Amino acid sequence: MSAPAKTVETVKIKVNGKELDAPKDQPVLQTCLDNGIYIPHYCYHPALSISGNCRMCLCTASNAPKAVISCATFPAEGAEYTTESEEVKKLREIILEFLLINHPLDCPVCDQAGECDLQEFSFRFGKDDSRFEEEKNYRHTKKLGTNVRLYGNRCIVCTRCVRFCEEIAGDAELCVRERGDSNIIDTFPGIPLENPISGCVADICPVGALFVDDFVHKTRVFFLESTTSVCNMCATGCSINVDTWQGEVQRLRPRHNPDVNDYWMCDRGRVGYKYSGAAERLSRYEVGPARAGSSAGDGKAKAGPTDPPRSTRAPSDFGKALAAVSDRAERVRREHGPGAFAFVASAWMSVEEMFLFRRLATTLAGAVPGEAGPATGILAVADGEAWTPRVGGAFKIDSDRNPNRKGAEMLLLGSFISEPFSVLLDRLESGAIKFAWVVGGIPDFSPMDRFRDALGAISNVVVTDILPGPLSERATILLPAASFVEKDGVFVNGRGWAQRCRAALPPPGETRTELDLFQELLRRAGERERVLSAQGVYAELAAEVGAFADTSYKTLGALGARVTDDEPAEREPTGREAAKR
Amino acid sequence: MSRELSPEAQKEFDWLVTRYPQREAAMLPTLRLIEREFGCIDPEGMKLCAQLIGCSPAKVFGVVTFYTHYKRETDGENVVYVCGTLPCALRGSDALADYLCDRVGIGLGETTEDRKITIKKVECLALCDQAPVCQVEDVDWLRVSKEKADEMLESLGIPKRETAGAAAGGEEKRS
Ligand code: SF4
Ligand code: FES
C-alpha cells in the first residue's frame, strides 16, 4: 500500500500579478496560503475532503467568467487569479452578510470569542451592518456526546465536523439535518458522538458552535498563554499547546505535526492535564527516620500496608532533604556497599532526567569491582487499548500508555537496567537493599503488591513523585516532583520521534524539578560544577548518547526529530491523500 | 428486534444496487422501498437503510430530513405540503398555509389528533409557474385559491363551509 514516490508536478500561475509555481493537484487556496497570500475560508481544511460550501474563499480567475471558490479550483497553466480587488472585497462582504443572517452575535458569552473566524473575517473583510431585519431562526443547543457540546445557532454549516467524523474518525456519527435555513448538525437518535477523538471537532469548527465540554465557560481565550509541548498520556506523544491562565492549565489543544499526530489528539489526552492541578499534589519536602531493623538481612522481608504512617516524616526543605539523601546514601555505601542500593526509574521521566538519574545512581552507590552493583528497574503503566482512526496520518492512540518508554529503552536499558523486573523484586525482598530510590511521576499508579510491600520494609526509601499514593506512603524521604506541564525535557515517542515538553507553569509550592534535584545532588557530590537548564543537560546527553548525537533543542525545534536508527515507519496518508487513492 | 425486508423487497433491493456505480448512490430508492414496505421511514427504517447501504445511520438521517417527500413517522395519514419557496411565497403561500391550518385546526408542522392530516411547509415543489402550489400525497394542487384549498380539504374528508362558494378548476388538479 505504499504511496508512489511523489514528484510534485507544478504549473505556472499568477496570483495578484505575482508568479507562482502551483502544485497541480493542490487547490489554488492552499497554494496561496503556502505563499503567504491569505484567503479567508471556513469549510476548507487541509486534512479533509473539499466541500466548497461556505463560499468565503471566492476569488476571480482569468479563465472563468464568474468568481470561483479557490478551495475547489485547481491551477491551470498560465491562469491569473485575483484575491485582492474591489470585486473580491465586495463578494466577501456579501458572503459574510449571508453567513451572519441567523447568527446570534452572542460573542460576549461565546467561548470562541477571540479565536473565532467569524469574528476575525467580519473584522477584516466584513460589512459594518446587515440588511437583515427579519427574525433570526433558532437551532438547538445540545450535547452531541460525552465530550462535545453544540451551540446550533452559531453554526455556519461548513460541515467540517461531519466530514471529520466520516473521513478521519470513521464512524460518521454527525450529519446535517433538515434543509435550507433549518440546517442543523445532529447525531442519529440514540447514537451519540462517542469516538475516542471526538474533541477534535471543536478544534476544527471555525466558529463557536462546537466545544469540548471541559472548556465551556471556563475562561476567555484571549487571556490564555500558550506553551508548545507534548502530551504525556500515551507513546504517541501528540504535539500540543498547553494553554494556561492565572497559574492553571485551562485546556490542551493539538498542534499540527505531520510526523506525530497530524492535526489530532485523543479525548483522554485532552484532559490529561487534570491531575497536575489536583489539590492533593505533593509539594513539600519531607524527611523521616530510617526504618529501624526492618529486615536485618535475614530471609524475606515481611511488611505490608502497615508501614510507617506519613506522620513519621517531618516537613523539611529542598536543601535539608538533599542533605539527608546524601548522608543516608553515604552511610549505606560505607556499611553495605553498592549492592545495597536500588534505583527505580520511570517511563514518565524525560530523557534528561533519565540521563542524570543514571549518573546519580553511580555516584550515590559507588562501584566496587567484582561486587554486585545496585538493583535497577523501571516503572511503567500497563498497556491500554490501541486505536487507529480510519485515516489520520501519523496519528494513533498507542496501547503503550507511557510517554517515554522508548527514551528509557535508549538511555537506560542495557546500560543501566540490565536485569528483569522480577530480579529487582527478588533483591528488594531479600533484605539486602538498604537504600531504594523510586521515581514515580505516574498519575493513578498502582504498583504491584510485591513491589509496594517490599518498599515498606526497606530502611531508606526515597520517593520522587507528584501525587500521594502507595509509593509516597512508603517513603522515608519524600521529594515532590514536577508534572509534565511544569518541566522542560525531551520525550521520545513510540516511533522514535523526540519532542520537547516545555514548562507552562511553575511546579507547586516549594517543588523543584527533578532536573534541578538530580543536578544539585551531583553538584554536592562534586560530580558537576553547575546546575544547567534542560537544554544544557540535553547537550551533554547528545554528546554522550549516540542516537541523540547532532541534535539539540534548536534542531528539535517545535516539531521534534527522529532519534532512533530503527527502520522509520512508512508515513501513513493523511486525510486528503487517502481520499485521492 | 432489528427490522428486515421481506424476501420480495430484499430481491428488489439487490437489483437496485446493481443499477448504481456506488452502493451509497442507491440510498434514495432504497428509502422509497423502505417507506413502501413499512408505511413511513422511522428511525428503525433509517437504521435498516444504513445497514443495507453500508453507511452510518446519521448519514441516512441527514438525507431523509433533507428531502421533504419521505414520510416520517410523525406524519399523519395524509400530508399536505405547502410550498414556501420564493415564487409561492410571493403569491401568498403564507396566507394559504394559515388558512389551511385554521380550517383543519392545527398548527404548521402538526398532525390532527386522529392522525389523519399533517400540514407542512416545504421547500420548492418545482412548479413555480403555477404558484402557489400544494401537494397531497402524489397529487399537485396548482394556483391554490381559498376555494381550491377548500376543495383540497374536502378530498381529505373535511366538508366545505356553508358560506364558501362553489369552486371549479378540477382540471387544474394534476396527477
Ligand atoms: S458545527 Fe462548526 S464545524 Fe460543524 S458545520 Fe457548524 S460551523 Fe462547521
Ligand atoms: S473554503 Fe472554499 S467554499 Fe468554503
Side-chain angles (χ1 to χ4, degrees):
Chain A
M1 243 205 44
S2 86
K6 228 179 160 182
T7 49
V8 183
E9 237 186 287
T10 61
V11 297
K12 288 231 176 306
I13 61 168
K14 269 191 185 170
V15 179
N16 303 333
K18 187 175 149 199
E19 223 174 83
L20 296 177
D21 287 319
K24 240 180 144 175
D25 56 357
Q26 178 173 291
V28 173
L29 170 58
Q30 188 64 54
T31 303
C32 286
L33 295 177
D34 294 348
N35 285 282
I37 301 165
Y38 192 72
I39 302 177
H41 57 280
Y42 291 115
C43 68
Y44 177 80
H45 189 286
L48 303 175
S49 65
I50 293 167
S51 175
N53 61 48
C54 74
R55 321 308 283 181
M56 194 65 235
C57 66
L58 283 168
C59 69
T60 50
S62 61
N63 58 354
K66 290 198 290 181
V68 294
I69 46 172
S70 56
C71 69
T73 301
F74 291 82
E77 180 73 48
E80 280 190 43
Y81 302 90
T82 309
T83 70
E84 300 299 335
S85 66
E86 272 311 307
E87 187 184 351
V88 173
K89 187 167 165 270
K90 187 92 202 139
L91 287 167
R92 287 177 183 165
E93 284 179 2
I94 293 170
I95 297 297
L96 277 166
E97 191 182 0
F98 259 121
L99 286 173
L100 289 172
I101 275 182
N102 281 307
H103 191 85
L105 303 176
D106 57 346
C107 306
V109 292
C110 177
D111 288 312
Q112 189 88 352
E115 55 181 17
C116 172
D117 285 348
L118 261 184
Q119 279 189 333
E120 178 71 7
F121 299 165
S122 295
F123 180 72
R124 288 171 66 183
F125 311 108
K127 283 173 51 150
D128 54 5
D129 66 344
S130 166
R131 285 164 290 176
F132 188 74
E133 287 168 350
E134 292 75 4
E135 215 171 299
K136 292 180 188 249
N137 67 6
Y138 176 83
R139 290 170 293 161
H140 60 217
T141 293
K142 67 187 268 194
K143 280 192 82 164
L144 296 175
T146 317
N147 296 314
V148 179
R149 199 178 279 261
L150 169 76
Y151 291 85
N153 284 337
R154 300 179 188 144
C155 171
I156 57 165
V157 205
C158 70
T159 71
R160 273 186 181 185
C161 54
V162 178
R163 282 174 284 148
F164 169 83
C165 289
E166 175 162 6
E167 296 162 15
I168 307 292
D171 287 339
E173 301 100 323
L174 296 184
C175 69
V176 181
R177 247 183 86 174
E178 312 300 333
R179 183 149 57 139
D181 71 349
S182 315
N183 265 178
I184 175 73
I185 298 301
D186 207 351
T187 53
F188 186 81
I191 308 183
L193 175 61
E194 294 294 356
N195 67 63
I197 57 173
S198 64
C200 296
V201 296
D203 302 326
I204 59 173
C205 179
V207 304
L210 291 171
F211 291 104
V212 172
D213 219 39
D214 181 49
F215 190 65
V216 170
H217 298 332
K218 214 172 178 184
T219 180
R220 306 306 282 164
V221 295
F222 30 85
F223 293 139
L224 294 175
E225 272 178 58
S226 231
T227 308
T228 61
S229 195
V230 191
C231 177
N232 260 208
M233 295 305 273
C234 86
T236 295
C238 288
S239 291
I240 55 169
N241 285 311
V242 179
D243 291 348
T244 60
W245 181 56
Q246 292 196 330
E248 277 176 33
V249 180
Q250 303 292 334
R251 66 172 177 187
L252 305 182
R253 271 182 309 148
R255 186 159 54 85
H256 182 214
N257 188 342
D259 289 295
V260 176
N261 56 322
D262 214 16
Y263 295 87
W264 323 118
M265 84 182 292
C266 77
D267 294 348
R268 192 173 149 270
R270 201 179 282 271
V271 291
Y273 67 90
K274 291 274 182 185
Y275 68 87
S276 74
E280 65 270 27
R281 273 291 295 277
L282 301 173
S283 60
R284 199 172 64 178
Y285 293 86
E286 291 176 1
V287 177
R291 261 178 216 112
S294 51
S295 40
D298 49 284
K300 291 270 180 189
K302 269 249 270 315
T306 51
D307 310 309
R310 197 184 149 93
S311 56
T312 63
R313 293 191 306 255
S316 178
D317 63 28
F318 182 70
K320 286 199 205 108
L322 260 55
V325 171
S326 305
D327 289 353
R328 307 252 174 108
E330 167 72 33
R331 196 171 326 142
V332 170
R333 184 172 67 238
R334 246 186 311 144
E335 288 172 12
H336 305 277
F341 285 82
F343 293 93
V344 184
S346 143
W348 287 60
M349 296 163 88
S350 69
V351 294
E352 292 88 343
E353 288 164 358
M354 291 173 181
F355 176 72
L356 291 171
F357 189 61
R358 189 171 88 174
R359 268 209 193 148
L360 187 60
T362 327
T363 305
L364 291 181
V368 178
E371 249 183 59
T376 50
I378 185 156
L379 300 181
V381 279
D383 281 1
E385 227 173 283
W387 186 84
T388 317
R390 177 164 169 234
V391 176
F395 177 83
K396 64 169 180 179
I397 299 174
D398 206 302
S399 57
D400 180 0
R401 294 292 156 81
N402 300 282
N404 209 9
R405 198 197 291 260
K406 190 86 184 180
E409 274 169 23
M410 296 166 70
L411 275 144
L412 301 178
L413 284 199
S415 60
F416 177 68
I417 303 170
S418 49
E419 305 158 337
F421 202 76
S422 60
V423 173
L424 171 73
L425 285 173
D426 289 342
R427 288 185 66 181
L428 287 176
E429 285 171 344
S430 70
I433 301 291
K434 304 294 175 200
F435 183 106
W437 187 328
V438 182
V439 181
I442 311 176
D444 293 329
F445 185 60
S446 44
M448 55 204 296
D449 295 354
R450 271 182 75 192
F451 180 73
R452 190 195 59 199
D453 295 348
L455 281 189
I458 292 171
S459 336
N460 296 287
V461 178
V462 181
V463 168
T464 333
D465 211 344
I466 49 175
L467 289 166
L471 297 180
S472 68
E473 279 161 18
R474 281 157 187 79
T476 57
I477 299 180
L478 181 63
L479 310 170
S483 77
F484 80 106
V485 295
E486 296 141 5
K487 67 185 177 194
D488 294 322
V490 165
F491 288 79
V492 185
N493 84 359
R495 295 193 191 96
W497 198 265
Q499 292 183 87
R500 287 175 58 194
C501 178
R502 301 203 305 160
L505 294 173
E510 307 160 26
T511 312
R512 302 268 294 270
T513 63
E514 279 125 297
L515 204 76
D516 280 7
L517 176 82
F518 296 159
Q519 290 190 85
E520 181 58 25
L521 272 173
L522 285 165
R523 198 187 61 82
R524 291 183 182 195
E527 289 288 321
R528 52 187 307 126
E529 277 172 25
R530 287 181 303 149
V531 173
L532 299 177
S533 67
Q535 179 166 17
V537 175
Y538 187 85
E540 286 177 12
L541 178 161
E544 215 175 278
V545 186
F548 295 86
D550 304 325
T551 62
S552 67
Y553 269 28
K554 208 161 168 202
T555 62
L556 290 183
L559 298 179
R562 261 185 77 75
V563 289
T564 70
D565 301 325
D566 306 354
E567 268 306 295
E570 204 180 285
R571 187 133 142 197
E572 296 286 329
T574 55
R576 188 82 51 70
E577 287 163 18
K580 264 188 216 133
R581 306 250 180 103
Chain B
M1 214 205 75
S2 81
R3 199 173 278 178
E4 266 177 45
L5 288 181
S6 66
E8 303 81 68
Q10 181 66 44
K11 215 181 266 163
E12 192 177 336
F13 171 77
D14 292 340
W15 169 78
L16 266 177
V17 286
T18 63
R19 306 194 52 232
Y20 295 88
Q22 278 148 16
R23 236 179 140 76
E24 228 171 71
M27 192 187 295
L28 296 185
T30 304
L31 283 168
R32 268 284 180 255
L33 183 68
I34 289 170
E35 187 181 42
R36 214 177 60 216
E37 281 284 292
F38 306 101
C40 70
I41 304 174
D42 60 2
E44 281 306 311
M46 293 185 221
K47 272 195 196 158
L48 173 62
C49 177
Q51 208 186 330
L52 288 166
I53 295 285
C55 67
S56 82
K59 196 154 200 181
V60 180
F61 190 40
V63 171
V64 170
T65 55
F66 177 86
Y67 292 101
T68 31
H69 283 79
Y70 286 120
K71 196 140 163 223
R72 306 186 194 182
E73 60 171 339
T74 45
D75 294 349
E77 219 168 276
N78 296 290
V79 186
V80 178
Y81 298 106
V82 185
C83 177
T85 306
L86 191 67
C88 289
L90 290 173
R91 301 266 293 156
S93 62
D94 267 352
L96 174 62
D98 283 349
Y99 179 72
L100 289 171
C101 289
D102 196 39
R103 288 237 32 219
V104 179
I106 53 175
L108 206 53
E110 292 176 1
T111 303
T112 53
E113 233 162 72
D114 60 4
R115 305 214 55 83
K116 282 257 159 26
I117 301 178
T118 302
I119 303 178
K120 278 186 176 176
K121 195 91 161 270
V122 296
E123 299 298 329
C124 190
L125 291 170
L127 291 162
C128 308
D129 57 329
Q130 306 287 342
V133 179
C134 290
Q135 197 174 60
V136 181
E137 298 312 296
D138 287 339
V139 182
D140 297 321
W141 294 74
L142 312 173
R143 290 198 290 271
V144 185
S145 57
K146 270 193 186 159
E147 291 70 35
K148 202 172 289 172
D150 288 335
E151 194 186 322
M152 184 169 80
L153 292 177
E154 198 176 22
S155 77
L156 296 174
I158 297 184
K160 277 188 200 158
R161 280 178 183 161
E162 304 283 284
T163 47
E171 74 281 1
E172 282 180 27
K173 194 164 83 176
R174 246 177 34 179
S175 250

